[in-house]
Amino acid sequence: MQKTKLGDQIKAIVGQDYFFDSYEDRLCYSYDAAIEEAMPEWVAMPGSVEEIARLMTLANTEGFPVYPRGAGTGLSGGSVPLKGGLVMVLTRLNRIREINQEDLYAIVETGVITSALHEQVEALGLLYPPDPASMKVTTMGGNVAENAGGLRGLKYGVTKDYVLALQVVTPAGQVVRVGSKCVKSVSGYDLTHLYVGSEGTLGIITEITVKLVPAPEHKESMMAIFDDMNMAAKTVADIIKSGVIPATLEFMDNTSINAIEDFKKIGLPRDAQAILLLETDGVKAAAQHEAEKIIAVCKANQARDVKSAATEQEKLQIWEARRTCFSALARVRPNTILEDATVPRSKIPEMVRGVTDIANKYGIQIGNFGHAGDGNLHPTILTDLRNTEEKQRVQKAIDEIFALALSLGGTLTGEHGIGSAKAKYLENEFGPEGLAVMRAIKTALDPNNILNPGKIFVADTAIA
Ligand SMILES: Cc1cc2nc3c(=O)[nH]c(=O)nc-3n(C[C@H](O)[C@H](O)[C@H](O)COP(=O)(O)OP(=O)(O)OC[C@H]3O[C@@H](n4cnc5c(N)ncnc54)[C@H](O)[C@@H]3O)c2cc1C
């Protein structure tokens, strides 16, 4: 069918107000928070599951690609329409349908903003732990599709640990329900967790049931300051070895500290080589006892100082510093490439040293921060991609960072997904056999390869 006619059909499904095909509108949906860009042919914002199902049926019949999109904060190019087609923006499905205090679950539509769910459950003394640094803008659907992590991931786990059930629209337009409200359910294949982290390649997630937990009674927040980056990295592993699992254990190097201070002037120590931001939580006496143990480990590892936040305001400042880190680094140079290669925690010191060596070898600037307690660092390359010579050095550095992580027994991505940005490395992690199993799943569920083509698998190779 002709392009204009297809556009008319899409418009007829979602209505004139929610269909866009002007150059300016399409441009707004041609990128996310990663580097790659591509123009869609149409943008549609469906307002119901029924509209989504009709759009998928049309796409499957006519063979045009569909790129699901939440808030577009993805860091691996996940929602970028590499092959044109339709960008399906899911933010209109934004109702919190139920918060159940008896059975401790919440049911939300895909477009609910993550922090909106936090606020509502916290007002009831409950907690939905996954807290990506981008939580004030991200959608729950985007979090599920990327299996997002967050600052509390060390103690509480990541999105997949909280998803109980999903409603999904398949590439052929069928509406299916997977999982259960029960905390225990082993009925059939675990399709729920097949969709979690599927990066918009297997189905459109429309409704999510998540597990809630009681909110902790008390929190202790601390900042440990180090003159030696290696000692800070070693402290991460030593804290875990000491038997304490903090709720949060974040690492920040000197480049990141100074970028934040230039941006927000929070009062971080500009001369420190690294800082660790830490939080313990739980019953007050236990949280305080764990904080004391952590302080002792930091001091034994030559921390220059460990500052405990005395007031709520000081606590908020510590976490504000961490949450603005990426935005602060992004101001330093025209382009920012944030990676999330992850290693076993005990390998953090080697990874930190290795990334510094790679930056020196290629003469590029890399800020390093991240959820170090999870082994999940964010080496952040600050560059100018208009400079083709520098771009080549950056590409070689990225290749080496991923090779280093894998050689340390790590993984390509701890939370941002493969998307298009890391597709070419995936075989290095799982081998041709592992990749073939993934391709077989994609082919079984999306035989016409219409959902998010070019992601996870190198473009055009998803169909076996
Ligand atoms: C400043 C900043 C900080 C960040 N911090 C973190 C962090 O701490 N932890 C972390 O894990 N990530 C972080 N991210 C990355 C990003 O915010 C997460 O990946 C987030 O989960 C993406 O949500 P989104 O709504 O923006 O999704 P989008 O970027 O719109 O989409 C992400 C992927 O999900 C797919 N998708 C979206 N909605 C659906 C749906 N309903 N059904 C099927 N597929 C769908 C898209 O096709 C795409 O592949 C950060 C990003 C930024 C810019």
Side-chain angles (χ1 to χ4, degrees):
M1 194 184 295
Q2 271 179 348
K3 195 178 140 192
T4 355
K5 284 208 176 140
L6 283 176
D8 288 344
Q9 293 216 20
I10 295 167
K11 197 193 302 182
I13 292 172
V14 295
Q16 172 119 20
D17 290 349
Y18 298 105
F19 172 82
F20 309 91
D21 63 354
S22 75
Y23 176 80
E24 291 79 4
D25 285 330
R26 290 184 297 126
L27 189 64
C28 293
Y29 295 94
S30 65
Y31 59 92
D32 62 5
I35 292 293
E36 218 150 8
E37 295 175 16
M39 283 290 261
E41 282 160 272
W42 317 280
V43 178
M45 296 183 178
S48 67
V49 177
E50 293 68 33
E51 287 180 11
I52 293 169
R54 286 175 64 197
L55 287 172
M56 291 313 301
T57 307
L58 178 68
N60 204 38
T61 313
E62 298 294 337
F64 62 81
V66 176
Y67 290 89
R69 182 179 171 110
T73 67
L75 285 163
S76 56
S79 64
V80 177
L82 285 185
K83 293 187 169 291
L86 174 70
V87 168
M88 187 190 284
V89 183
L90 293 148
T91 47
R92 284 179 68 209
L93 280 75
N94 61 1
R95 279 172 301 177
I96 296 178
R97 288 181 176 273
E98 183 184 353
I99 296 176
N100 191 306
Q101 292 177 264
E102 211 173 9
D103 287 326
L104 293 185
Y105 67 78
I107 302 180
V108 299
E109 292 180 346
T110 183
V112 166
I113 303 292
T114 314
S115 62
L117 176 64
H118 287 154
E119 279 161 26
Q120 292 215 13
V121 301
E122 282 164 30
L124 300 170
L126 297 172
L127 185 69
Y128 170 65
D131 59 343
S134 48
M135 65 189 191
K136 287 191 181 157
V137 279
T138 56
T139 62
M140 287 292 291
N143 288 180
V144 173
E146 294 290 8
N147 188 11
L151 277 64
R152 291 190 282 240
L154 174 57
K155 177 169 172 180
Y156 289 96
V158 298
T159 303
K160 72 169 190 267
D161 300 307
Y162 293 87
V163 179
L164 293 172
L166 296 170
Q167 182 191 60
V168 178
V169 177
T170 68
Q174 288 151 335
V175 181
V176 295
R177 287 195 174 273
V178 295
S180 152
K181 281 178 200 163
C182 301
V183 275
K184 289 183 76 178
S185 167
V186 291
S187 292
Y189 292 130
D190 186 356
L191 296 180
T192 311
H193 289 95
L194 179 63
Y195 285 112
V196 176
S198 62
E199 303 189 28
T201 62
L202 300 181
I204 309 274
I205 297 155
T206 47
E207 188 188 274
I208 305 154
T209 305
V210 290
K211 183 170 74 175
L212 305 174
V213 295
E217 167 190 308
H218 183 78
K219 292 177 186 174
E220 291 283 327
S221 300
M222 292 149 278
M223 174 167 68
I225 304 168
F226 292 85
D227 293 323
D228 180 341
M229 189 160 73
N230 289 318
M231 292 310 290
K234 178 173 176 296
T235 305
V236 173
D238 285 356
I239 288 172
I240 308 294
K241 221 189 320 175
S242 78
V244 177
I245 303 288
T248 304
L249 203 181
E250 297 285 312
F251 170 91
M252 235 179 245
D253 72 357
N254 180 270
T255 306
S256 308
I257 294 168
N258 279 287
I260 292 169
E261 278 307 292
D262 291 341
F263 183 33
K264 287 272 175 169
K265 308 211 173 6
I266 285 172
L268 300 178
R270 280 184 181 273
D271 61 335
Q273 285 312 298
I275 55 176
L276 296 180
L277 304 177
L278 297 127
E279 188 162 271
T280 58
D281 70 2
V283 175
K284 188 170 181 184
Q288 286 174 336
H289 176 64
E290 289 187 343
E292 282 161 18
K293 282 179 85 170
I294 286 173
I295 292 170
V297 176
C298 291
K299 296 222 160 127
N301 277 309
Q302 300 164 15
R304 186 214 297 174
D305 195 7
V306 186
K307 292 183 193 295
S308 298
T311 61
E312 257 331 286
Q313 180 60 19
E314 284 179 16
K315 278 182 197 165
L316 285 176
Q317 272 193 331
I318 287 186
W319 302 116
E320 166 78 356
R322 168 59 186 87
R323 289 189 204 284
T324 52
C325 190
F326 176 46
S327 315
L329 285 165
R331 294 167 74 245
V332 177
R333 298 210 56 210
N335 299 104
T336 313
I337 304 171
L338 189 145
E339 298 298 359
D340 71 325
T342 300
V343 293
R345 285 185 281 247
S346 60
K347 303 291 181 192
I348 282 273
E350 275 171 81
M351 188 66 189
V352 168
R353 273 196 301 275
V355 170
T356 309
D357 291 346
I358 292 168
N360 291 337
K361 177 174 169 188
Y362 290 105
I364 56 174
Q365 199 177 359
I366 303 186
N368 212 347
F369 71 99
H371 320 296
D374 297 331
N376 183 190
L377 285 172
H378 292 323
T380 306
I381 297 158
L382 313 176
T383 182
D384 182 352
L385 295 177
R386 291 169 301 187
N387 178 337
T388 45
E389 188 276 326
E390 181 172 327
K391 190 174 169 182
Q392 283 169 359
R393 281 186 279 128
V394 164
Q395 191 51 60
K396 285 184 186 150
I398 293 173
D399 291 348
E400 283 194 24
I401 288 172
F402 286 126
L404 173 66
L406 293 183
S407 75
L408 293 173
T411 178
L412 296 169
T413 168
E415 56 186 22
H416 298 159
I418 292 293
S420 52
K422 283 162 248 175
K424 70 171 175 171
Y425 305 108
L426 192 59
E427 193 168 328
N428 298 346
E429 183 165 347
F430 296 109
E433 301 82 4
L435 205 59
V437 173
M438 291 189 199
R439 279 206 187 107
I441 291 170
K442 169 71 175 167
T443 307
L445 295 187
D446 182 15
N448 297 324
N449 195 22
I450 57 159
L451 209 42
N452 217 350
K455 312 303 165 61
I456 299 185
F457 310 99
V458 175
D460 288 324
T461 62
I463 303 294

